[in-house]
Amino acid sequence: MSTKAPYCIVTLLKIAYYFEDNVYKYFNLPICFVGVISNLLNVLVFTRKTMISPPNLIFAHVALADFLVLLVRIPSIWPVYTRSADHDFNTTTVTETYAGAIFRNYNGIFISTFSFISIFLTVQLTAWRYVAVVYPLKERHWCNKKITRNVVIAGYITCCVLYAIPRHLSFDIFTVDKNQTITYQVSIRKHRTMYSMIMLTHALVFRLFPAIVVAGLTSRIIVTLLARTARHEQLTQSGSVQSDTRNVKVRQQMNRPTAMLLAVVALFFIAEFPKGILSLLSVIYEFGKPRTRCYKSLVKIFITITNINTSVTFIVYYALSEQFRIAFKSLFNCNIVSHQESNPDAAGSTEKITAGTKIDQV
């Protein structure tokens, strides 16, 4: 079997095709349904008055972007339940009705654009946490609500300008007359170079670069926190600082947002970095050509990982943040007594800690 792409070795393709036929078709639809509900709950929780803060604004928009991606992906996954397997290595187009071609084209543009918006916001969230940990005294000035809101809006605009609009211009719908039956297909035959440049931007700007930046910032956050913990232990042992229950609780409250962010970043890196490498290889070896069935089958594995990633965020938030749990419970019980009012320490109230280490994230 010849795949015309060095990265598409036969063994890897067999795995990809087995996954597509036996896992992707039956696993992703329920995952998307779960993810839609999970991210809807995230949006509802992060937009409550008690949760309003710059980082939580980013969390809310990440959840909104993931919600829209999973919601729109459901109708695109459903047809594969009735589509027969066709493992042609060189299949690049699909013939269908005109309405189907229109839907498939814009469905892909919408999903990719909001996926990139979610990636952009994850990078922003990591940068905001980096400032909070490494430059805590400057957090109020650099990461206030106005700046956060403007950066979020810039993320939406940037992703639309750099990807959605060029992608729309690079595809055309052509009529196919086959066996006296008129069908349609989405093709890039008139804009091959533009399409390849878009895919190169896709791989470098929206996949690999964000993954590298997030990994670098997260590494610096971890190093800073470890150094800070070691310094505090030295001061405690020397008697310069008293180690009491209050200090321990303060440090735990400071580290909870970082633990939650690390979980999100780990899921993000696992999902996006391999997909970026695959996209870059497809551009290098197939420049100016439509993406082959080889790429489309392999990428389904990473799509599944991404779907799982965006579906489990609610569990991550609920497990690592007591303030999130309190806000979530209050959604279903309007008369709930605020645990934050009766016990400010447990809810992560950062107003009473220190001005220099204030953290108003979850």
Side-chain angles (χ1 to χ4, degrees):
M1 292 184 288
S2 173
T3 65
K4 296 185 178 181
Y7 62 89
C8 287
I9 60 177
V10 173
T11 302
L12 189 60
L13 278 178
K14 288 181 178 179
I15 295 174
Y17 287 154
Y18 178 85
F19 182 88
E20 182 179 4
D21 291 338
N22 300 282
V23 180
Y24 180 81
K25 295 193 295 185
Y26 309 106
F27 185 70
N28 274 270
L29 195 62
I31 284 294
C32 284
F33 278 116
V34 171
V36 166
I37 297 173
S38 172
N39 284 284
L40 179 59
L41 291 175
N42 289 340
V43 172
L44 293 176
V45 172
F46 283 121
T47 53
R48 293 187 67 81
K49 291 182 179 180
T50 57
M51 298 289 287
I52 294 176
S53 69
N56 287 351
L57 175 63
I58 305 175
F59 274 117
H61 280 277
V62 170
L64 177 62
D66 291 339
F67 166 79
L68 292 174
V69 167
L70 294 173
L71 182 65
V72 175
R73 181 164 278 158
I74 290 174
S76 67
I77 293 176
W78 184 264
V80 302
Y81 279 75
T82 57
R83 188 180 299 162
S84 60
D86 178 20
H87 295 325
D88 180 357
F89 285 94
N90 302 317
T91 299
T92 58
T93 58
V94 177
T95 56
E96 51 200 339
T97 64
Y98 183 77
I102 290 287
F103 170 79
R104 191 166 63 85
N105 184 32
Y106 289 101
N107 180 270
I109 293 175
F110 185 92
I111 289 174
S112 295
T113 302
F114 277 87
S115 294
F116 296 148
I117 290 172
S118 177
I119 292 171
F120 180 92
L121 295 175
T122 302
V123 175
Q124 181 188 357
L125 185 63
T126 309
W128 261 225
R129 185 58 188 157
Y130 171 82
V131 172
V133 171
V134 181
Y135 304 104
L137 298 178
K138 298 180 179 180
E139 182 189 9
R140 285 186 176 181
H141 302 287
W142 293 0
C143 307
N144 57 52
K145 292 181 182 179
K146 182 178 180 180
I147 293 177
T148 301
R149 189 179 298 108
N150 290 339
V151 174
V152 168
I153 295 173
Y156 280 87
I157 296 174
T158 300
C159 292
C160 290
V161 171
L162 292 183
Y163 182 81
I165 296 176
R167 168 73 187 271
H168 164 74
L169 297 175
S170 67
F171 278 84
D172 291 314
I173 297 178
F174 294 90
T175 303
V176 179
D177 188 354
K178 191 173 183 180
N179 298 327
Q180 296 182 345
T181 301
I182 303 297
T183 56
Y184 301 87
Q185 68 181 28
V186 181
S187 178
I188 60 165
R189 65 179 69 173
K190 290 184 178 180
H191 313 284
R192 296 181 184 272
T193 301
M194 179 190 293
Y195 174 78
S196 294
M197 296 306 297
I198 294 170
M199 293 302 102
L200 184 62
T201 304
H202 170 179
L204 294 177
V205 177
F206 293 115
R207 299 289 184 193
L208 294 178
F209 180 72
I212 293 172
V213 170
V214 166
L217 293 177
T218 304
S219 300
R220 180 65 188 280
I221 291 172
I222 294 173
V223 170
T224 302
L225 289 176
L226 291 176
R228 189 174 297 169
T229 302
R231 184 167 60 252
H232 187 274
E233 291 178 354
Q234 290 178 354
L235 294 174
T236 302
Q237 293 175 359
S238 65
S240 301
V241 176
Q242 293 183 354
S243 179
D244 55 14
T245 304
R246 173 68 178 181
N247 290 334
V248 172
K249 288 182 178 180
V250 169
R251 291 199 302 273
Q252 290 177 348
Q253 291 166 9
M254 291 170 58
N255 290 331
R256 281 171 187 160
T258 301
M260 189 168 71
L261 176 63
L262 289 178
V264 173
V265 166
L267 294 171
F268 167 79
F269 190 84
I270 292 171
E272 300 303 332
F273 189 76
K275 194 186 298 184
I277 293 294
L278 178 62
S279 298
L280 183 61
L281 290 174
S282 70
V283 173
I284 293 174
Y285 290 105
E286 302 169 32
F287 190 88
K289 301 177 182 178
R291 288 184 164 178
T292 63
R293 176 66 187 274
C294 167
Y295 171 87
K296 293 177 181 177
S297 296
L298 289 173
V299 82
K300 282 184 170 61
I301 297 175
F302 301 116
I303 290 175
T304 302
I305 295 174
T306 302
N307 290 343
I308 296 173
N309 171 20
T310 55
S311 299
V312 301
T313 50
F314 174 81
I315 299 175
V316 174
Y317 300 153
Y318 192 89
L320 296 178
S321 172
E322 187 167 359
Q323 190 179 4
F324 184 91
R325 291 194 294 271
I326 294 170
F328 171 70
K329 293 175 183 178
S330 69
L331 286 174
F332 305 98
N333 187 357
C334 297
N335 297 321
I336 188 171
V337 178
S338 174
H339 186 56
Q340 184 173 358
E341 294 178 1
S342 60
N343 188 2
D345 294 339
S349 176
T350 56
E351 297 292 342
K352 297 182 181 180
I353 298 177
T354 60
T357 58
K358 179 183 178 182
I359 300 174
D360 54 3
Q361 294 96 319
V362 177

